């Protein structure tokens, strides 16, 4: 047994596997690769767990997070509300826009700067030009719009009177009179 043991010891090494170590140069050890994969996935899951861990925050942090989510939806919904209001109650809308036109220009610059910094992509010159265009459009078109609305209402009343006069009375319908007589 001693010769065979010495021969295998030279071939495979004493306490180690020379064939396996040589094969690993050309091919990855599947067992070691799986162990490394488990370790990598475990580290990734631990990192994700730390990122999404529930942190108990105070009321002030929660309030600030809530307030930071308000401006964009409020501006979008407010703008849509202005369009709806302009159609529903043009007089009310015109009064508010007339009040806005009285805001001093430096305040418009300040508002424009705040909005520009908050959203990050606004340019002050475009904002001022936009405000001037709105004021000019409102000043030019509100009287015409109000006049058109009055004309539409007058036309609507005239049409309702004509439709009421054009409908025949129930007693003058010969087919209906025959039907009633047959019952």
């Amino acid at each position: 047994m001693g010769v065979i043991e010495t021969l295998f010891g030279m071939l495979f090494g004493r306490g180690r596997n020379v064939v396996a170590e040589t094969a690993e140069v050309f091919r990855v050890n599947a067992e070691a690769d799986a162990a490394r994969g488990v370790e990598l996935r475990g580290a990734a899951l631990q990192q994700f767990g730390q990122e999404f861990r529930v942190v108990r925050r105070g009321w002030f942090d929660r309030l600030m997070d809530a307030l930071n989510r308000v401006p964009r939806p409020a501006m979008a919904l407010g703008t849509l509300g202005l369009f709806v209001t302009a159609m529903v109650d043009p007089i009310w809308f015109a009064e508010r826009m007339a009040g806005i036109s009285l805001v001093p220009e430096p305040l418009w610059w300040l508002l424009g700067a705040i909005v520009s910094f908050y959203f990050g992509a606004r340019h002050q010159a475009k904002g001022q030009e936009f405000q001037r265009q709105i004021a000019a459009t409102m000043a030019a078109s509100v009287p015409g719009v109000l006049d058109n609305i009055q004309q539409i209402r007058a036309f609507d009343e005239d049409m309702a009177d004509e439709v009421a006069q054009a409908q025949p009375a129930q007693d003058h319908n010969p087919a209906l009179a025959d039907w009633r007589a047959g019952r």
Side-chain angles (χ1 to χ4, degrees):
M1 270 305 224
V3 175
I4 295 176
E5 188 176 324
T6 306
L7 185 61
F8 277 127
M10 283 178 33
L11 184 59
F12 296 109
R14 304 240 186 255
R16 44 176 245 219
N17 192 341
V18 176
V19 173
E21 290 175 1
T22 305
E24 286 178 2
V25 171
F26 301 106
R27 186 177 187 289
V28 175
N29 183 337
E31 188 176 334
D33 188 43
R36 285 190 300 270
V38 166
E39 186 179 327
L40 178 66
R41 284 189 293 277
L45 285 173
Q46 184 179 6
Q47 179 183 357
F48 286 144
Q50 287 176 352
E51 287 181 17
F52 296 106
R53 181 172 44 118
V54 175
V55 178
R56 296 194 61 91
R57 298 181 308 176
W59 65 270
F60 183 77
D61 291 331
R62 291 192 308 264
L63 176 67
M64 286 298 111
D65 285 344
L67 289 177
N68 281 332
R69 292 185 178 121
V70 169
R72 281 180 280 235
M75 290 180 73
L77 293 174
T79 302
L80 291 174
L82 286 175
F83 279 106
V84 170
T85 303
M87 290 184 283
V88 171
D89 193 357
I91 302 294
W92 184 89
F93 181 78
E95 290 171 349
R96 298 319 172 271
M97 293 300 113
I100 286 178
S101 68
L102 298 176
V103 174
E105 190 163 342
L107 193 56
W108 283 117
W109 282 95
L110 178 62
L111 177 66
I114 291 169
V115 170
S116 295
F117 285 120
Y118 187 80
F119 292 106
R122 308 280 176 165
H123 297 285
Q124 193 60 44
K126 294 288 183 180
Q128 287 297 317
E129 181 180 335
F130 181 67
Q131 293 297 330
R132 284 191 200 104
Q133 288 175 352
I134 287 176
T137 301
M138 292 303 297
S141 63
V142 168
V145 169
L146 294 177
D147 191 32
N148 287 344
I149 289 172
Q150 289 174 349
Q151 290 176 3
I152 289 170
R153 286 183 180 159
F155 178 75
D156 186 38
E157 291 172 4
D158 293 341
M159 286 303 295
D161 292 341
E162 287 181 19
V163 167
Q165 291 174 359
Q167 291 179 343
Q170 289 182 345
D171 296 333
H172 295 98
N173 186 340
L176 188 58
D178 290 341
W179 179 76
R180 284 184 184 154
R183 292 187 91 199

